[in-house]
Amino acid sequence: MDANTPAQDDSRSTKLDLKALDTALERRTIELPAGVTPGGSINTISVVPLGPSPTSQSVIVESPEQETTHYISLDAAAGALRSTSRPTPGSSLEVPDAHAGPFYGAKGAALKQFDESRAATRDHSVAGTPPRSVAGIGTKIGKPDYSEAKIVLALVGLPARGKSYLSNKLMRYLTWLEYKVKVFNVGQLRRKKALEREQMQGVKEDHNANYFDHNNSNAMKARESFAEESLESLISWLKAGGNVGIHDATNSNRARRAKIAARVSREPNLKLVFLESLCEDPVVIAANVALKASAGDPDYKGMSHEEAVKDFTKRIRQYEAVYETVEPFEWEGMPEEKDRDITPKALEERRLALIDEAAKNPGPNNPKVPLVTRQMAKNVSYLKVINVGKQLDIIRISGYLQSRIAYYLMNLHLKPRSIFMSRHGESQYNVDGRIGGDAPLSPRGEAYAQALPSLILDNIGDKPLKVWTSTLQRTIQTARHLPYPKLTWKSLDELDAGVCDGMTYEEIEEEYPEDFANRDEDKFNYRYRGGESYRDVVVRLEPVIMELERQENVLVIGHQAIVRCLYAYFHNISQDDLPYINIPLHTVIKLTPKAYGCDEERYKVPIQAVSTHRPKPKTETDAQGDPAAVEKKRSTTARNYYGDDQPA
């Protein structure tokens, strides 16, 4: 029966509301009510609203074998459509019980007919955000429009207080959420300029502790120049399309911060947030000093570790002598503004004079007077992180993006920890080559589940550990032998393949060759009809990321797409490469967060399993053809001392 066939009066006929059923399948909002077990032949299958909300829909099934009408799940209806030939008048459609088994096999021919029959109504069931760009079973979704988000995030803090740690964490998090983020590190610019002069003039500059003495006027002018050049580069980058530019510098006195506020105030679309990192924990400071002295910093080239520690400690003392913490009074506006007779020119002259005076004698004893006008301060917000996450002060934070930054910072900590990630053991669907579903483990997958506890125990020892799984049985079965507290997350469920759930890639390619090619062309943005894209998965995993940042030792037992997304976050891998990260079965990935990235170890359990990895297709712009190329792009824990143009 096609979409234009009139409904039959015969009680044995099958009535199918194609438009409503398709819309409901795409929304996937209804599950089978508890205690209802539909089955048998049916007279009528249609979709009706169950409440005032247009998304509250279910499938009604009227069965001649049963006296009462039953509601069946949309999944069951979809399964029936995929697994039977097209219903005709006078025939019955067998609807499987949604609770009868853990998974079902799906076919593609009936679904293709279903698509063709609904051509007239297709446009009405498309979500209103991005335009449809492919035909058939899926759509490509567009990137969110963040063009209006423009933030200058200026760091404040003494050396060895975790500023670069915070800037790199924020860059990784916001980039994972698809904001354009870049760090403009003044120290990198200083070292790069010094290297260029050394290469051109053959003279090596000595940037020891004396270079950072406030009384060294020549060095002070040079450092101010580097800070201003870095800020100008940042603003130009934001105006060219960036979202968050991070000014990574000490910005340690009010005069410097007033100059930043005045400069940003001249750009009408930019917001300014100061992020101050205060740390009084001697253990954390000592660890940061030791890392700085031993990590290959060019400032200490040729020095012993002891000499480097001594010089860097002296540098910190130079900064401490003139350091001024961020305080609310800075952004109250100048008292002189209350003088109605003062002209704008006279007010600006007064402001510049106050800045010069403050710059000459910075430090705790500097008179606490505002150095910016109320107009300049209007768009200034600030955050103060104390002891890297133990306390966060939030002042005048507004808007979605600023709120996300503040919330993320609330969840950070520096405690040593490891994050273990593993896919579930091999499932029966893996063996069959099918995607999605809720299949149980295969015999080899069960063997992996039994071997997993000893592997984890060998690596974690007697340290506490939490185990997270999805709600799907293959992850729960994989975790059941682990002697640790377990938490089940719906957010960790596998990428929803929608109407292709239960199909093989060969079936999808055969039935929908155009869609198969379109997904390969842009796998991150391709959304299955009634299902998800990788972009959708990233969005729903954000709460998981927040909780992972708060926790200590965690083992995540997930699925291929889920582990790919989490892995990409910790290693700062791009969206283009994310869907092609190789996450093999029966392998545990151990990530140990460090100051500038994550160390990684992999443990392969010697239990054979199928490979479900599909390499990134070669294109004109990416013809490297190296299966390990994506893994090579992951971030490193080594610090970059020269910026984007770091020399070999």
Side-chain angles (χ1 to χ4, degrees):
M1 179 178 68
D2 62 35
N4 299 316
T5 302
Q8 302 293 316
D9 292 331
D10 190 298
S11 61
R12 295 173 299 167
S13 67
T14 299
K15 300 175 184 178
L16 187 62
D17 183 341
L18 297 176
K19 176 181 176 181
L21 180 57
D22 176 64
T23 301
L25 287 172
E26 285 199 276
R27 290 172 175 163
R28 299 174 66 82
T29 55
I30 303 299
E31 295 182 358
L32 186 68
V36 175
T37 307
S41 60
I42 63 171
N43 288 4
T44 305
I45 179 169
S46 61
V47 178
V48 297
L50 297 180
S53 169
T55 61
S56 300
Q57 295 177 323
S58 182
V59 179
I60 287 185
V61 177
E62 296 178 3
S63 172
E65 288 91 352
Q66 302 176 19
E67 295 182 357
T68 58
T69 297
H70 289 283
Y71 296 86
I72 73 163
S73 70
L74 297 179
D75 283 345
L81 287 171
R82 289 199 294 262
S83 59
T84 66
S85 60
R86 197 76 180 97
T88 57
S91 68
S92 63
L93 178 64
E94 296 294 328
V95 180
D97 180 356
H99 295 299
F103 60 104
Y104 51 81
K107 305 295 181 184
L111 184 58
K112 188 171 184 180
Q113 279 187 307
F114 180 70
D115 271 330
E116 292 168 350
S117 70
R118 60 177 280 280
T121 64
R122 178 177 294 135
D123 291 340
H124 302 290
S125 63
V126 176
T129 38
R132 192 182 191 95
S133 59
V134 297
I137 60 171
T139 59
K140 288 182 183 177
I141 57 176
K143 180 180 178 179
D145 183 6
Y146 294 139
S147 59
E148 298 301 314
K150 304 285 183 182
I151 292 179
V152 177
L153 185 65
L155 299 185
V156 179
L158 293 166
R161 263 54 176 187
K163 298 186 303 300
S164 294
Y165 166 79
L166 292 176
S167 68
N168 280 283
K169 292 287 286 187
L170 278 170
M171 181 182 69
R172 187 179 307 155
Y173 167 66
L174 295 174
T175 300
W176 190 70
L177 293 180
E178 295 190 87
Y179 290 95
K180 294 180 180 178
V181 188
K182 187 173 181 180
V183 177
F184 294 80
N185 186 291
V186 175
Q188 288 179 346
L189 180 62
R190 169 180 60 81
R191 285 183 284 267
K192 180 182 174 183
K193 295 283 189 181
L195 181 63
E196 290 173 351
R197 284 191 292 271
E198 180 182 354
Q199 292 172 340
M200 293 178 62
Q201 303 173 11
V203 179
K204 185 180 186 304
E205 296 183 9
D206 191 357
H207 290 179
N208 61 18
N210 294 329
Y211 181 85
F212 300 92
D213 187 342
H214 181 72
N215 297 314
N216 185 338
S217 58
N218 290 334
M220 277 291 296
K221 289 179 182 178
R223 288 161 52 207
E224 285 292 326
S225 174
F226 296 145
E228 291 172 4
E229 180 180 343
S230 178
L231 181 61
E232 290 301 324
S233 298
L234 185 157
I235 291 173
S236 297
W237 178 81
L238 285 177
K239 292 165 72 173
N243 299 127
V244 180
I246 302 176
H247 193 242
D248 189 352
T250 56
N251 295 322
S252 56
N253 58 67
R254 292 187 300 112
R256 168 78 71 82
R257 296 193 289 270
K259 291 178 181 179
I260 294 174
R263 176 64 187 90
V264 174
S265 71
R266 301 206 303 266
E267 305 294 337
N269 297 320
L270 303 189
K271 302 287 186 180
L272 175 60
V273 179
F274 283 104
L275 170 57
E276 183 176 18
S277 180
L278 293 178
C279 184
E280 301 169 350
D281 188 334
V283 175
V284 173
I285 296 172
N288 288 342
V289 170
L291 177 63
K292 176 81 170 180
S294 61
D297 191 327
D299 291 346
Y300 302 115
K301 187 176 181 180
M303 287 189 186
S304 67
H305 178 76
E306 292 73 17
E307 290 173 326
V309 169
K310 183 178 179 180
D311 187 84
F312 188 52
T313 302
K314 184 179 178 182
R315 182 195 298 191
I316 294 172
R317 299 289 177 263
Q318 304 278 24
Y319 274 102
E320 286 177 336
V322 296
Y323 187 76
E324 298 169 290
T325 186
V326 180
E327 297 186 65
F329 81 87
E330 291 185 48
W331 319 115
E332 293 173 355
M334 297 170 59
E336 289 83 350
E337 293 180 86
K338 297 178 182 179
D339 183 354
R340 296 184 179 181
D341 295 329
I342 194 169
T343 65
K345 181 179 179 181
L347 181 63
E348 180 63 8
E349 289 175 348
R350 173 61 177 159
R351 190 184 71 82
L352 293 175
L354 288 172
I355 287 178
D356 288 341
E357 184 179 342
K360 291 175 184 177
N361 186 34
N365 297 325
N366 198 309
K368 294 185 177 182
V369 295
L371 304 177
V372 296
T373 64
R374 280 191 293 271
Q375 181 64 30
M376 292 175 183
K378 184 173 65 174
N379 289 328
V380 177
S381 308
Y382 69 96
L383 298 155
K384 184 175 293 189
V385 180
I386 301 174
N387 290 330
V388 196
K390 290 190 176 179
Q391 180 178 325
L392 179 66
D393 295 344
I394 302 175
I395 308 294
R396 291 167 60 175
I397 292 296
S398 62
Y400 176 79
L401 182 52
Q402 291 186 26
S403 299
R404 298 314 302 165
I405 291 171
Y407 182 56
Y408 180 72
L409 292 172
M410 290 170 62
N411 290 282
L412 298 182
H413 67 84
L414 284 179
K415 294 179 180 177
R417 62 188 177 128
S418 293
I419 297 167
F420 299 88
M421 293 189 293
S422 173
R423 291 175 64 185
H424 53 79
E426 181 188 72
S427 74
Q428 192 57 51
Y429 260 23
N430 293 145
V431 176
D432 296 341
R434 300 190 178 278
I435 64 174
D438 193 12
L441 295 180
S442 71
R444 294 187 300 201
E446 176 58 34
Y448 176 70
Q450 294 177 8
L452 192 57
S454 62
L455 173 60
I456 297 300
L457 184 62
D458 288 344
N459 277 277
I460 200 70
D462 57 358
K463 297 176 184 176
L465 176 74
K466 294 181 180 178
V467 178
W468 295 355
T469 72
S470 73
T471 64
L472 301 176
Q473 64 172 328
R474 54 191 183 273
T475 64
I476 295 172
Q477 290 175 352
T478 303
R480 69 175 179 267
H481 302 297
L482 291 162
Y484 304 103
K486 300 178 182 68
L487 180 66
T488 299
W489 287 74
K490 180 67 175 173
S491 297
L492 290 175
D493 283 2
E494 178 62 300
L495 185 151
D496 189 341
V499 294
C500 288
D501 196 74
M503 296 176 71
T504 67
Y505 282 117
E506 290 75 18
E507 288 172 342
I508 298 172
E509 184 175 19
E510 179 182 353
E511 299 296 333
Y512 299 96
E514 183 180 352
D515 290 284
F516 189 82
N518 273 305
R519 187 167 193 262
D520 270 348
E521 180 184 302
D522 190 0
K523 195 172 180 179
F524 184 79
N525 293 305
Y526 181 90
R527 177 188 287 162
Y528 288 106
R529 194 188 68 203
E532 293 179 301
S533 67
Y534 269 93
R535 172 176 278 126
D536 297 322
V537 173
V538 164
V539 171
R540 70 167 155 97
L541 282 176
E542 186 182 6
V544 177
I545 288 295
M546 290 293 187
E547 193 62 23
L548 278 174
E549 291 290 4
R550 292 182 61 235
Q551 296 291 329
E552 295 184 30
N553 299 309
V554 175
L555 166 61
V556 179
I557 299 178
H559 306 267
Q560 181 166 251
I562 299 301
V563 178
R564 279 173 172 166
C565 291
L566 297 178
Y567 185 93
Y569 165 76
F570 284 106
H571 277 312
N572 200 27
I573 294 176
S574 71
Q575 284 85 4
D576 287 341
D577 293 322
L578 183 156
Y580 300 100
I581 301 171
N582 187 12
I583 308 292
L585 289 165
H586 298 178
T587 301
V588 174
I589 301 171
K590 178 183 179 182
L591 300 179
T592 304
K594 296 293 182 66
Y596 302 104
C598 284
D599 286 340
E600 178 182 329
E601 300 171 69
R602 291 198 179 197
Y603 304 97
K604 175 71 176 175
V605 176
I607 297 173
Q608 189 176 358
V610 298
S611 173
T612 60
H613 180 65
R614 297 179 66 243
K616 188 175 185 178
K618 293 182 181 179
T619 66
E620 292 181 3
T621 58
D622 181 20
Q624 56 194 341
D626 181 1
V630 174
E631 280 68 31
K632 292 178 182 177
K633 295 182 181 180
R634 64 174 181 249
S635 64
T636 173
T637 56
R639 184 171 184 176
N640 185 340
Y641 287 103
Y642 295 96
D644 295 338
D645 302 320
Q646 178 161 337

